[in-house]
Amino acid sequence: GVHIIPVHGWRLLNAISYIVKLPLNRNFVTLARYVYTYRSELAAFETYIKKTGLPTVITALQSCEHSGILAYIISRKHTVPYMVMEHRTHYQRGLMTGKRGRIARTVISSAERILTVSPQLANNIQEALRLTNCKILFQTMPNPIPEDFFVSPASEYEEVRKFADGRFIFGGWTNWRDIKRLDLIFEAFEQVHQQLPNTCLVIAGPVPEWAQQRVDAMNLGSSIQLLGSIDREQVKLLAYTCDCCIIPSDCETFGLPAIESLAAGKPVLATACGGPESIITNSNVGRLVAVGDTQGFARAMKDIVDTYGECKSSEISAYCRDTFGEEVLTRNWEGVYKSLSDIYEYD
C-alpha cells in the first residue's frame, strides 16, 4: 500500500515547483490555487517518492473532485499516468457546470483511464462534460462485495423479525436524503398494504424529521419500522432477514444495498436511476421501474410478493458472487494495472 506521511516546511517552494509545470490555459489560475491549497499533500508526495521512487500509476478515488485534481497536478510535474475512479452522482444531478465542470473536464480528459461503477455513469460523465467525441477509455469497475457477506449469519435481525411477525418484509437501507425518495416508497407501500396487509416495510439509516410524522399520518406504525442508523454487521443481518430490498432513488451511480441483498439471495426492486440497471439485468434477480413512478413501484412490489415462490435464492447469490464478488473484481483491478504496465513497459 501507499503511505503518505504529512510533512512541514518548504511547502510554498514545493507548490511553486508544481505551478510552473501547469499548462497556460483558462484553468491555470484555478489549478494554481489548488496547488497552493494542497501544498501539504503535494509536499508529502514529494517525501514519499524520495523514499520509494515514483509509482507506476496514480489512482484518484473520487469521493470528491479534489483527488482527481491532485492526481492531474502530480502527473503534470512527474509525467506519471493517472486513472480516475468515479462513483459520484454529480454528473446526473447537473452539478458539474461552469468552472467546476471545466476543471473536471481537464482532469477527466487528461487521465489514462476512467473507471466508473456503472456504464450508465460513464455515459453521464461524457454528456455532462461534453466528452462524447473524445477518445477517452472508460471502463466499468463495479463496487465489490466482500466474500464473507455470502456466508449466512448465525442469526437473523431479531428486532426486525419480531416486528415482522411472519409478514413479507420489504427493506431499504441507506442515508435517506431527498434524492433517495423515502416519500415515494411510503406512498407505494401504503397502496400495497391496502391490498396485501400481510406485508411490512423496514427502513434503516438516517431519515428526515418528517418520516415518523408521515408514518403516523398513514396510520401504518404497526407495519413500518424505522430502525435509524445501523452498523455494517446489522446491514448484513438486515439483508438476510428481509425478503426484498427496495431502492426508490432518483439518482444512483451504482446501488450497494442491491448487491448486498443479492448476496443474501434476496431479490431487489429499484428505479432505473443510473446504477441499478447494471445490477438488475433480468427478472430472476429483481425488478426495475421508471424513476418517480409511484404507481409502477407499487405494482412491482405486489408482483414480487405474488411471484416470490419462484425466486431461487442460491441462483441469485451465485449471480452476485460471479459478477460483484471481491475475488472477481480483484482480478479485474489487477488486469487494469497490468494493461497499463504493459503500455508503459514498467518492470
PDB file of all heavy atoms in Angstrom, residues 157 159-160 163 170 172 176 182 185-186 200-216 218 220-230 238:
ATOM      1  N   TYR A 157     -31.917 -10.667  12.112  1.00  0.00           N
ATOM      2  CA  TYR A 157     -32.060  -9.399  12.820  1.00  0.00           C
ATOM      3  C   TYR A 157     -33.289  -9.544  13.720  1.00  0.00           C
ATOM      4  O   TYR A 157     -34.427  -9.398  13.278  1.00  0.00           O
ATOM      5  CB  TYR A 157     -32.258  -8.270  11.805  1.00  0.00           C
ATOM      6  CG  TYR A 157     -31.866  -6.905  12.292  1.00  0.00           C
ATOM      7  CD1 TYR A 157     -31.076  -6.076  11.508  1.00  0.00           C
ATOM      8  CD2 TYR A 157     -32.303  -6.415  13.524  1.00  0.00           C
ATOM      9  CE1 TYR A 157     -30.709  -4.807  11.931  1.00  0.00           C
ATOM     10  CE2 TYR A 157     -31.950  -5.165  13.959  1.00  0.00           C
ATOM     11  CZ  TYR A 157     -31.152  -4.357  13.153  1.00  0.00           C
ATOM     12  OH  TYR A 157     -30.799  -3.098  13.578  1.00  0.00           O
ATOM     13  N   GLU A 159     -34.751  -7.913  16.116  1.00  0.00           N
ATOM     14  CA  GLU A 159     -35.708  -6.810  16.268  1.00  0.00           C
ATOM     15  C   GLU A 159     -36.639  -6.721  15.058  1.00  0.00           C
ATOM     16  O   GLU A 159     -37.844  -6.500  15.189  1.00  0.00           O
ATOM     17  CB  GLU A 159     -34.949  -5.490  16.449  1.00  0.00           C
ATOM     18  CG  GLU A 159     -35.840  -4.280  16.635  1.00  0.00           C
ATOM     19  CD  GLU A 159     -35.050  -2.982  16.764  1.00  0.00           C
ATOM     20  OE1 GLU A 159     -33.809  -3.051  16.863  1.00  0.00           O
ATOM     21  OE2 GLU A 159     -35.681  -1.904  16.748  1.00  0.00           O
ATOM     22  N   VAL A 160     -36.079  -6.925  13.877  1.00  0.00           N
ATOM     23  CA  VAL A 160     -36.872  -6.869  12.648  1.00  0.00           C
ATOM     24  C   VAL A 160     -37.776  -8.091  12.537  1.00  0.00           C
ATOM     25  O   VAL A 160     -38.957  -7.981  12.183  1.00  0.00           O
ATOM     26  CB  VAL A 160     -35.949  -6.776  11.415  1.00  0.00           C
ATOM     27  CG1 VAL A 160     -36.756  -6.894  10.124  1.00  0.00           C
ATOM     28  CG2 VAL A 160     -35.165  -5.475  11.445  1.00  0.00           C
ATOM     29  N   PHE A 163     -40.688  -7.716  14.790  1.00  0.00           N
ATOM     30  CA  PHE A 163     -41.629  -6.721  14.272  1.00  0.00           C
ATOM     31  C   PHE A 163     -42.447  -7.304  13.118  1.00  0.00           C
ATOM     32  O   PHE A 163     -43.665  -7.115  13.037  1.00  0.00           O
ATOM     33  CB  PHE A 163     -40.858  -5.485  13.791  1.00  0.00           C
ATOM     34  CG  PHE A 163     -41.693  -4.487  13.047  1.00  0.00           C
ATOM     35  CD1 PHE A 163     -42.497  -3.588  13.732  1.00  0.00           C
ATOM     36  CD2 PHE A 163     -41.669  -4.441  11.657  1.00  0.00           C
ATOM     37  CE1 PHE A 163     -43.280  -2.667  13.047  1.00  0.00           C
ATOM     38  CE2 PHE A 163     -42.450  -3.533  10.959  1.00  0.00           C
ATOM     39  CZ  PHE A 163     -43.251  -2.636  11.655  1.00  0.00           C
ATOM     40  N   PHE A 170     -40.338  -5.887   3.137  1.00  0.00           N
ATOM     41  CA  PHE A 170     -39.606  -5.016   2.215  1.00  0.00           C
ATOM     42  C   PHE A 170     -38.619  -4.201   3.054  1.00  0.00           C
ATOM     43  O   PHE A 170     -39.019  -3.598   4.064  1.00  0.00           O
ATOM     44  CB  PHE A 170     -40.556  -4.065   1.483  1.00  0.00           C
ATOM     45  CG  PHE A 170     -41.422  -4.714   0.453  1.00  0.00           C
ATOM     46  CD1 PHE A 170     -42.764  -4.976   0.725  1.00  0.00           C
ATOM     47  CD2 PHE A 170     -40.902  -5.078  -0.782  1.00  0.00           C
ATOM     48  CE1 PHE A 170     -43.574  -5.584  -0.229  1.00  0.00           C
ATOM     49  CE2 PHE A 170     -41.696  -5.687  -1.740  1.00  0.00           C
ATOM     50  CZ  PHE A 170     -43.041  -5.943  -1.463  1.00  0.00           C
ATOM     51  N   GLY A 172     -35.294  -1.313   3.150  1.00  0.00           N
ATOM     52  CA  GLY A 172     -34.450  -0.324   2.490  1.00  0.00           C
ATOM     53  C   GLY A 172     -33.441   0.229   3.467  1.00  0.00           C
ATOM     54  O   GLY A 172     -33.800   0.574   4.602  1.00  0.00           O
ATOM     55  N   TRP A 176     -31.085   8.435   3.917  1.00  0.00           N
ATOM     56  CA  TRP A 176     -32.289   8.843   3.200  1.00  0.00           C
ATOM     57  C   TRP A 176     -32.329  10.346   2.950  1.00  0.00           C
ATOM     58  O   TRP A 176     -33.107  11.087   3.556  1.00  0.00           O
ATOM     59  CB  TRP A 176     -33.530   8.366   3.954  1.00  0.00           C
ATOM     60  CG  TRP A 176     -33.628   6.877   3.957  1.00  0.00           C
ATOM     61  CD1 TRP A 176     -33.201   6.030   4.940  1.00  0.00           C
ATOM     62  CD2 TRP A 176     -34.151   6.054   2.913  1.00  0.00           C
ATOM     63  NE1 TRP A 176     -33.423   4.727   4.577  1.00  0.00           N
ATOM     64  CE2 TRP A 176     -34.016   4.705   3.337  1.00  0.00           C
ATOM     65  CE3 TRP A 176     -34.721   6.322   1.662  1.00  0.00           C
ATOM     66  CZ2 TRP A 176     -34.428   3.634   2.557  1.00  0.00           C
ATOM     67  CZ3 TRP A 176     -35.130   5.249   0.888  1.00  0.00           C
ATOM     68  CH2 TRP A 176     -34.991   3.924   1.336  1.00  0.00           C
ATOM     69  N   LEU A 182     -37.578   8.591  -0.020  1.00  0.00           N
ATOM     70  CA  LEU A 182     -38.331   7.884   1.006  1.00  0.00           C
ATOM     71  C   LEU A 182     -39.824   8.169   0.872  1.00  0.00           C
ATOM     72  O   LEU A 182     -40.659   7.306   1.162  1.00  0.00           O
ATOM     73  CB  LEU A 182     -37.829   8.302   2.395  1.00  0.00           C
ATOM     74  CG  LEU A 182     -38.439   7.589   3.597  1.00  0.00           C
ATOM     75  CD1 LEU A 182     -38.204   6.085   3.522  1.00  0.00           C
ATOM     76  CD2 LEU A 182     -37.862   8.151   4.896  1.00  0.00           C
ATOM     77  N   ILE A 185     -41.465   5.645  -1.513  1.00  0.00           N
ATOM     78  CA  ILE A 185     -41.664   4.302  -1.000  1.00  0.00           C
ATOM     79  C   ILE A 185     -42.785   4.271   0.026  1.00  0.00           C
ATOM     80  O   ILE A 185     -43.534   3.286   0.130  1.00  0.00           O
ATOM     81  CB  ILE A 185     -40.359   3.702  -0.434  1.00  0.00           C
ATOM     82  CG1 ILE A 185     -40.485   2.181  -0.302  1.00  0.00           C
ATOM     83  CG2 ILE A 185     -39.981   4.290   0.907  1.00  0.00           C
ATOM     84  CD1 ILE A 185     -40.833   1.482  -1.576  1.00  0.00           C
ATOM     85  N   PHE A 186     -42.954   5.342   0.798  1.00  0.00           N
ATOM     86  CA  PHE A 186     -44.083   5.405   1.728  1.00  0.00           C
ATOM     87  C   PHE A 186     -45.404   5.359   0.966  1.00  0.00           C
ATOM     88  O   PHE A 186     -46.328   4.628   1.321  1.00  0.00           O
ATOM     89  CB  PHE A 186     -44.014   6.676   2.569  1.00  0.00           C
ATOM     90  CG  PHE A 186     -43.068   6.594   3.746  1.00  0.00           C
ATOM     91  CD1 PHE A 186     -42.743   7.728   4.471  1.00  0.00           C
ATOM     92  CD2 PHE A 186     -42.507   5.381   4.137  1.00  0.00           C
ATOM     93  CE1 PHE A 186     -41.890   7.657   5.560  1.00  0.00           C
ATOM     94  CE2 PHE A 186     -41.637   5.303   5.222  1.00  0.00           C
ATOM     95  CZ  PHE A 186     -41.333   6.444   5.933  1.00  0.00           C
ATOM     96  N   CYS A 200     -44.878  -5.801   5.397  1.00  0.00           N
ATOM     97  CA  CYS A 200     -44.376  -4.720   6.246  1.00  0.00           C
ATOM     98  C   CYS A 200     -43.149  -4.093   5.585  1.00  0.00           C
ATOM     99  O   CYS A 200     -42.564  -4.662   4.664  1.00  0.00           O
ATOM    100  CB  CYS A 200     -44.045  -5.213   7.651  1.00  0.00           C
ATOM    101  SG  CYS A 200     -42.709  -6.427   7.749  1.00  0.00           S
ATOM    102  N   LEU A 201     -42.794  -2.931   6.064  1.00  0.00           N
ATOM    103  CA  LEU A 201     -41.688  -2.155   5.497  1.00  0.00           C
ATOM    104  C   LEU A 201     -40.711  -1.795   6.604  1.00  0.00           C
ATOM    105  O   LEU A 201     -41.120  -1.260   7.650  1.00  0.00           O
ATOM    106  CB  LEU A 201     -42.231  -0.882   4.838  1.00  0.00           C
ATOM    107  CG  LEU A 201     -41.222   0.144   4.323  1.00  0.00           C
ATOM    108  CD1 LEU A 201     -40.395  -0.435   3.185  1.00  0.00           C
ATOM    109  CD2 LEU A 201     -41.942   1.419   3.864  1.00  0.00           C
ATOM    110  N   VAL A 202     -39.435  -2.092   6.399  1.00  0.00           N
ATOM    111  CA  VAL A 202     -38.389  -1.778   7.375  1.00  0.00           C
ATOM    112  C   VAL A 202     -37.404  -0.809   6.730  1.00  0.00           C
ATOM    113  O   VAL A 202     -36.847  -1.103   5.667  1.00  0.00           O
ATOM    114  CB  VAL A 202     -37.661  -3.051   7.841  1.00  0.00           C
ATOM    115  CG1 VAL A 202     -36.522  -2.689   8.791  1.00  0.00           C
ATOM    116  CG2 VAL A 202     -38.640  -3.994   8.522  1.00  0.00           C
ATOM    117  N   ILE A 203     -37.205   0.324   7.360  1.00  0.00           N
ATOM    118  CA  ILE A 203     -36.319   1.368   6.853  1.00  0.00           C
ATOM    119  C   ILE A 203     -35.152   1.567   7.826  1.00  0.00           C
ATOM    120  O   ILE A 203     -35.355   1.836   9.016  1.00  0.00           O
ATOM    121  CB  ILE A 203     -37.080   2.705   6.687  1.00  0.00           C
ATOM    122  CG1 ILE A 203     -38.186   2.557   5.652  1.00  0.00           C
ATOM    123  CG2 ILE A 203     -36.118   3.822   6.298  1.00  0.00           C
ATOM    124  CD1 ILE A 203     -37.718   2.262   4.252  1.00  0.00           C
ATOM    125  N   ALA A 204     -33.925   1.428   7.319  1.00  0.00           N
ATOM    126  CA  ALA A 204     -32.731   1.625   8.141  1.00  0.00           C
ATOM    127  C   ALA A 204     -31.910   2.774   7.590  1.00  0.00           C
ATOM    128  O   ALA A 204     -31.875   3.003   6.382  1.00  0.00           O
ATOM    129  CB  ALA A 204     -31.895   0.352   8.176  1.00  0.00           C
ATOM    130  N   GLY A 205     -31.251   3.476   8.479  1.00  0.00           N
ATOM    131  CA  GLY A 205     -30.443   4.631   8.089  1.00  0.00           C
ATOM    132  C   GLY A 205     -31.099   5.913   8.539  1.00  0.00           C
ATOM    133  O   GLY A 205     -32.283   5.940   8.884  1.00  0.00           O
ATOM    134  N   PRO A 206     -30.327   7.016   8.542  1.00  0.00           N
ATOM    135  CA  PRO A 206     -30.876   8.311   8.949  1.00  0.00           C
ATOM    136  C   PRO A 206     -32.054   8.714   8.065  1.00  0.00           C
ATOM    137  O   PRO A 206     -31.985   8.613   6.843  1.00  0.00           O
ATOM    138  CB  PRO A 206     -29.689   9.268   8.759  1.00  0.00           C
ATOM    139  CG  PRO A 206     -28.472   8.393   8.765  1.00  0.00           C
ATOM    140  CD  PRO A 206     -28.903   7.100   8.156  1.00  0.00           C
ATOM    141  N   VAL A 207     -33.139   9.156   8.682  1.00  0.00           N
ATOM    142  CA  VAL A 207     -34.321   9.584   7.943  1.00  0.00           C
ATOM    143  C   VAL A 207     -34.612  11.049   8.262  1.00  0.00           C
ATOM    144  O   VAL A 207     -34.218  11.555   9.309  1.00  0.00           O
ATOM    145  CB  VAL A 207     -35.555   8.722   8.295  1.00  0.00           C
ATOM    146  CG1 VAL A 207     -35.322   7.277   7.902  1.00  0.00           C
ATOM    147  CG2 VAL A 207     -35.896   8.836   9.771  1.00  0.00           C
ATOM    148  N   PRO A 208     -35.308  11.771   7.361  1.00  0.00           N
ATOM    149  CA  PRO A 208     -35.675  13.160   7.651  1.00  0.00           C
ATOM    150  C   PRO A 208     -36.674  13.246   8.800  1.00  0.00           C
ATOM    151  O   PRO A 208     -37.333  12.257   9.148  1.00  0.00           O
ATOM    152  CB  PRO A 208     -36.302  13.633   6.330  1.00  0.00           C
ATOM    153  CG  PRO A 208     -36.706  12.391   5.615  1.00  0.00           C
ATOM    154  CD  PRO A 208     -35.724  11.336   6.024  1.00  0.00           C
ATOM    155  N   GLU A 209     -36.800  14.439   9.358  1.00  0.00           N
ATOM    156  CA  GLU A 209     -37.654  14.620  10.533  1.00  0.00           C
ATOM    157  C   GLU A 209     -39.106  14.277  10.259  1.00  0.00           C
ATOM    158  O   GLU A 209     -39.832  13.836  11.150  1.00  0.00           O
ATOM    159  CB  GLU A 209     -37.541  16.070  11.031  1.00  0.00           C
ATOM    160  CG  GLU A 209     -36.160  16.430  11.566  1.00  0.00           C
ATOM    161  CD  GLU A 209     -36.099  17.856  12.082  1.00  0.00           C
ATOM    162  OE1 GLU A 209     -37.142  18.545  12.016  1.00  0.00           O
ATOM    163  OE2 GLU A 209     -35.026  18.277  12.543  1.00  0.00           O
ATOM    164  N   TRP A 210     -39.535  14.468   9.009  1.00  0.00           N
ATOM    165  CA  TRP A 210     -40.942  14.253   8.700  1.00  0.00           C
ATOM    166  C   TRP A 210     -41.319  12.786   8.600  1.00  0.00           C
ATOM    167  O   TRP A 210     -42.507  12.439   8.539  1.00  0.00           O
ATOM    168  CB  TRP A 210     -41.326  14.944   7.389  1.00  0.00           C
ATOM    169  CG  TRP A 210     -40.482  14.564   6.187  1.00  0.00           C
ATOM    170  CD1 TRP A 210     -39.449  15.276   5.659  1.00  0.00           C
ATOM    171  CD2 TRP A 210     -40.610  13.375   5.390  1.00  0.00           C
ATOM    172  NE1 TRP A 210     -38.910  14.615   4.583  1.00  0.00           N
ATOM    173  CE2 TRP A 210     -39.600  13.454   4.392  1.00  0.00           C
ATOM    174  CE3 TRP A 210     -41.453  12.276   5.408  1.00  0.00           C
ATOM    175  CZ2 TRP A 210     -39.423  12.446   3.430  1.00  0.00           C
ATOM    176  CZ3 TRP A 210     -41.277  11.271   4.459  1.00  0.00           C
ATOM    177  CH2 TRP A 210     -40.272  11.364   3.484  1.00  0.00           C
ATOM    178  N   ALA A 211     -40.344  11.873   8.589  1.00  0.00           N
ATOM    179  CA  ALA A 211     -40.621  10.462   8.320  1.00  0.00           C
ATOM    180  C   ALA A 211     -41.591   9.851   9.330  1.00  0.00           C
ATOM    181  O   ALA A 211     -42.590   9.222   8.954  1.00  0.00           O
ATOM    182  CB  ALA A 211     -39.324   9.666   8.284  1.00  0.00           C
ATOM    183  N   GLN A 212     -41.323  10.019  10.619  1.00  0.00           N
ATOM    184  CA  GLN A 212     -42.197   9.431  11.633  1.00  0.00           C
ATOM    185  C   GLN A 212     -43.588  10.047  11.579  1.00  0.00           C
ATOM    186  O   GLN A 212     -44.598   9.349  11.753  1.00  0.00           O
ATOM    187  CB  GLN A 212     -41.586   9.603  13.020  1.00  0.00           C
ATOM    188  CG  GLN A 212     -42.357   8.882  14.115  1.00  0.00           C
ATOM    189  CD  GLN A 212     -42.400   7.377  13.911  1.00  0.00           C
ATOM    190  OE1 GLN A 212     -41.371   6.715  13.847  1.00  0.00           O
ATOM    191  NE2 GLN A 212     -43.611   6.824  13.809  1.00  0.00           N
ATOM    192  N   GLN A 213     -43.652  11.355  11.331  1.00  0.00           N
ATOM    193  CA  GLN A 213     -44.946  12.016  11.225  1.00  0.00           C
ATOM    194  C   GLN A 213     -45.752  11.445  10.065  1.00  0.00           C
ATOM    195  O   GLN A 213     -46.976  11.262  10.170  1.00  0.00           O
ATOM    196  CB  GLN A 213     -44.754  13.524  11.048  1.00  0.00           C
ATOM    197  CG  GLN A 213     -44.087  14.207  12.221  1.00  0.00           C
ATOM    198  CD  GLN A 213     -43.797  15.678  11.941  1.00  0.00           C
ATOM    199  OE1 GLN A 213     -43.973  16.151  10.832  1.00  0.00           O
ATOM    200  NE2 GLN A 213     -43.355  16.385  12.972  1.00  0.00           N
ATOM    201  N   ARG A 214     -45.056  11.148   8.960  1.00  0.00           N
ATOM    202  CA  ARG A 214     -45.728  10.589   7.794  1.00  0.00           C
ATOM    203  C   ARG A 214     -46.266   9.190   8.099  1.00  0.00           C
ATOM    204  O   ARG A 214     -47.382   8.841   7.701  1.00  0.00           O
ATOM    205  CB  ARG A 214     -44.736  10.535   6.636  1.00  0.00           C
ATOM    206  CG  ARG A 214     -45.315  10.102   5.298  1.00  0.00           C
ATOM    207  CD  ARG A 214     -46.211  11.180   4.714  1.00  0.00           C
ATOM    208  NE  ARG A 214     -46.458  10.935   3.310  1.00  0.00           N
ATOM    209  CZ  ARG A 214     -45.683  11.373   2.319  1.00  0.00           C
ATOM    210  NH1 ARG A 214     -44.592  12.086   2.608  1.00  0.00           N
ATOM    211  NH2 ARG A 214     -45.989  11.130   1.070  1.00  0.00           N
ATOM    212  N   VAL A 215     -45.479   8.392   8.783  1.00  0.00           N
ATOM    213  CA  VAL A 215     -45.914   7.048   9.159  1.00  0.00           C
ATOM    214  C   VAL A 215     -47.159   7.119  10.044  1.00  0.00           C
ATOM    215  O   VAL A 215     -48.129   6.376   9.840  1.00  0.00           O
ATOM    216  CB  VAL A 215     -44.786   6.289   9.876  1.00  0.00           C
ATOM    217  CG1 VAL A 215     -45.299   4.965  10.446  1.00  0.00           C
ATOM    218  CG2 VAL A 215     -43.620   6.042   8.931  1.00  0.00           C
ATOM    219  N   ASP A 216     -47.142   8.041  10.995  1.00  0.00           N
ATOM    220  CA  ASP A 216     -48.283   8.192  11.902  1.00  0.00           C
ATOM    221  C   ASP A 216     -49.525   8.670  11.141  1.00  0.00           C
ATOM    222  O   ASP A 216     -50.641   8.202  11.406  1.00  0.00           O
ATOM    223  CB  ASP A 216     -47.943   9.180  13.018  1.00  0.00           C
ATOM    224  CG  ASP A 216     -46.836   8.668  13.929  1.00  0.00           C
ATOM    225  OD1 ASP A 216     -46.606   7.436  13.951  1.00  0.00           O
ATOM    226  OD2 ASP A 216     -46.198   9.492  14.608  1.00  0.00           O
ATOM    227  N   MET A 218     -50.300   8.080   8.087  1.00  0.00           N
ATOM    228  CA  MET A 218     -50.840   6.983   7.282  1.00  0.00           C
ATOM    229  C   MET A 218     -51.432   5.879   8.160  1.00  0.00           C
ATOM    230  O   MET A 218     -51.997   4.918   7.647  1.00  0.00           O
ATOM    231  CB  MET A 218     -49.728   6.395   6.393  1.00  0.00           C
ATOM    232  CG  MET A 218     -49.214   7.326   5.318  1.00  0.00           C
ATOM    233  SD  MET A 218     -48.040   6.502   4.186  1.00  0.00           S
ATOM    234  CE  MET A 218     -46.708   6.088   5.320  1.00  0.00           C
ATOM    235  N   LEU A 220     -49.795   3.669   9.828  1.00  0.00           N
ATOM    236  CA  LEU A 220     -49.093   2.434   9.483  1.00  0.00           C
ATOM    237  C   LEU A 220     -47.936   2.144  10.439  1.00  0.00           C
ATOM    238  O   LEU A 220     -46.977   1.473  10.086  1.00  0.00           O
ATOM    239  CB  LEU A 220     -48.578   2.499   8.046  1.00  0.00           C
ATOM    240  CG  LEU A 220     -49.632   2.365   6.943  1.00  0.00           C
ATOM    241  CD1 LEU A 220     -49.003   2.583   5.572  1.00  0.00           C
ATOM    242  CD2 LEU A 220     -50.302   1.008   7.010  1.00  0.00           C
ATOM    243  N   GLY A 221     -48.039   2.662  11.657  1.00  0.00           N
ATOM    244  CA  GLY A 221     -46.976   2.461  12.625  1.00  0.00           C
ATOM    245  C   GLY A 221     -46.724   1.005  12.954  1.00  0.00           C
ATOM    246  O   GLY A 221     -45.599   0.625  13.306  1.00  0.00           O
ATOM    247  N   SER A 222     -47.751   0.164  12.821  1.00  0.00           N
ATOM    248  CA  SER A 222     -47.566  -1.259  13.108  1.00  0.00           C
ATOM    249  C   SER A 222     -47.013  -2.026  11.912  1.00  0.00           C
ATOM    250  O   SER A 222     -46.698  -3.219  12.022  1.00  0.00           O
ATOM    251  CB  SER A 222     -48.902  -1.881  13.527  1.00  0.00           C
ATOM    252  OG  SER A 222     -49.854  -1.777  12.477  1.00  0.00           O
ATOM    253  N   SER A 223     -46.877  -1.342  10.762  1.00  0.00           N
ATOM    254  CA  SER A 223     -46.397  -2.019   9.550  1.00  0.00           C
ATOM    255  C   SER A 223     -45.154  -1.378   8.950  1.00  0.00           C
ATOM    256  O   SER A 223     -44.593  -1.904   7.992  1.00  0.00           O
ATOM    257  CB  SER A 223     -47.503  -2.062   8.491  1.00  0.00           C
ATOM    258  OG  SER A 223     -48.588  -2.839   8.938  1.00  0.00           O
ATOM    259  N   ILE A 224     -44.727  -0.221   9.469  1.00  0.00           N
ATOM    260  CA  ILE A 224     -43.498   0.434   9.011  1.00  0.00           C
ATOM    261  C   ILE A 224     -42.578   0.634  10.208  1.00  0.00           C
ATOM    262  O   ILE A 224     -42.951   1.283  11.192  1.00  0.00           O
ATOM    263  CB  ILE A 224     -43.779   1.789   8.332  1.00  0.00           C
ATOM    264  CG1 ILE A 224     -44.653   1.592   7.097  1.00  0.00           C
ATOM    265  CG2 ILE A 224     -42.459   2.473   7.946  1.00  0.00           C
ATOM    266  CD1 ILE A 224     -45.001   2.893   6.376  1.00  0.00           C
ATOM    267  N   GLN A 225     -41.406   0.079  10.121  1.00  0.00           N
ATOM    268  CA  GLN A 225     -40.422   0.175  11.197  1.00  0.00           C
ATOM    269  C   GLN A 225     -39.267   1.063  10.761  1.00  0.00           C
ATOM    270  O   GLN A 225     -38.641   0.817   9.724  1.00  0.00           O
ATOM    271  CB  GLN A 225     -39.907  -1.218  11.563  1.00  0.00           C
ATOM    272  CG  GLN A 225     -38.922  -1.247  12.733  1.00  0.00           C
ATOM    273  CD  GLN A 225     -38.438  -2.660  13.021  1.00  0.00           C
ATOM    274  OE1 GLN A 225     -38.248  -3.460  12.112  1.00  0.00           O
ATOM    275  NE2 GLN A 225     -38.250  -2.974  14.301  1.00  0.00           N
ATOM    276  N   LEU A 226     -38.977   2.106  11.541  1.00  0.00           N
ATOM    277  CA  LEU A 226     -37.844   2.994  11.282  1.00  0.00           C
ATOM    278  C   LEU A 226     -36.730   2.632  12.265  1.00  0.00           C
ATOM    279  O   LEU A 226     -36.807   2.957  13.452  1.00  0.00           O
ATOM    280  CB  LEU A 226     -38.257   4.459  11.441  1.00  0.00           C
ATOM    281  CG  LEU A 226     -39.421   4.937  10.565  1.00  0.00           C
ATOM    282  CD1 LEU A 226     -39.734   6.411  10.851  1.00  0.00           C
ATOM    283  CD2 LEU A 226     -39.102   4.752   9.084  1.00  0.00           C
ATOM    284  N   LEU A 227     -35.708   1.967  11.772  1.00  0.00           N
ATOM    285  CA  LEU A 227     -34.642   1.472  12.646  1.00  0.00           C
ATOM    286  C   LEU A 227     -33.638   2.548  13.031  1.00  0.00           C
ATOM    287  O   LEU A 227     -32.955   2.424  14.038  1.00  0.00           O
ATOM    288  CB  LEU A 227     -33.896   0.321  11.957  1.00  0.00           C
ATOM    289  CG  LEU A 227     -34.616  -1.019  11.838  1.00  0.00           C
ATOM    290  CD1 LEU A 227     -33.760  -1.984  11.023  1.00  0.00           C
ATOM    291  CD2 LEU A 227     -34.911  -1.611  13.213  1.00  0.00           C
ATOM    292  N   GLY A 228     -33.504   3.589  12.207  1.00  0.00           N
ATOM    293  CA  GLY A 228     -32.440   4.554  12.426  1.00  0.00           C
ATOM    294  C   GLY A 228     -31.122   4.024  11.897  1.00  0.00           C
ATOM    295  O   GLY A 228     -31.082   3.047  11.141  1.00  0.00           O
ATOM    296  N   SER A 229     -30.020   4.629  12.297  1.00  0.00           N
ATOM    297  CA  SER A 229     -28.698   4.225  11.808  1.00  0.00           C
ATOM    298  C   SER A 229     -28.339   2.832  12.323  1.00  0.00           C
ATOM    299  O   SER A 229     -28.612   2.492  13.476  1.00  0.00           O
ATOM    300  CB  SER A 229     -27.638   5.226  12.265  1.00  0.00           C
ATOM    301  OG  SER A 229     -27.897   6.510  11.719  1.00  0.00           O
ATOM    302  N   ILE A 230     -27.723   2.031  11.429  1.00  0.00           N
ATOM    303  CA  ILE A 230     -27.263   0.701  11.817  1.00  0.00           C
ATOM    304  C   ILE A 230     -25.822   0.522  11.351  1.00  0.00           C
ATOM    305  O   ILE A 230     -25.371   1.206  10.435  1.00  0.00           O
ATOM    306  CB  ILE A 230     -28.156  -0.417  11.231  1.00  0.00           C
ATOM    307  CG1 ILE A 230     -28.165  -0.376   9.696  1.00  0.00           C
ATOM    308  CG2 ILE A 230     -29.581  -0.292  11.773  1.00  0.00           C
ATOM    309  CD1 ILE A 230     -28.960  -1.505   9.046  1.00  0.00           C
ATOM    310  N   LEU A 238     -29.762  -7.475   8.256  1.00  0.00           N
ATOM    311  CA  LEU A 238     -30.986  -6.973   7.641  1.00  0.00           C
ATOM    312  C   LEU A 238     -31.156  -7.539   6.238  1.00  0.00           C
ATOM    313  O   LEU A 238     -32.261  -7.922   5.834  1.00  0.00           O
ATOM    314  CB  LEU A 238     -30.967  -5.445   7.607  1.00  0.00           C
ATOM    315  CG  LEU A 238     -32.226  -4.765   7.060  1.00  0.00           C
ATOM    316  CD1 LEU A 238     -33.464  -5.162   7.865  1.00  0.00           C
ATOM    317  CD2 LEU A 238     -32.056  -3.242   7.082  1.00  0.00           C
TER     318      LEU A 238
END
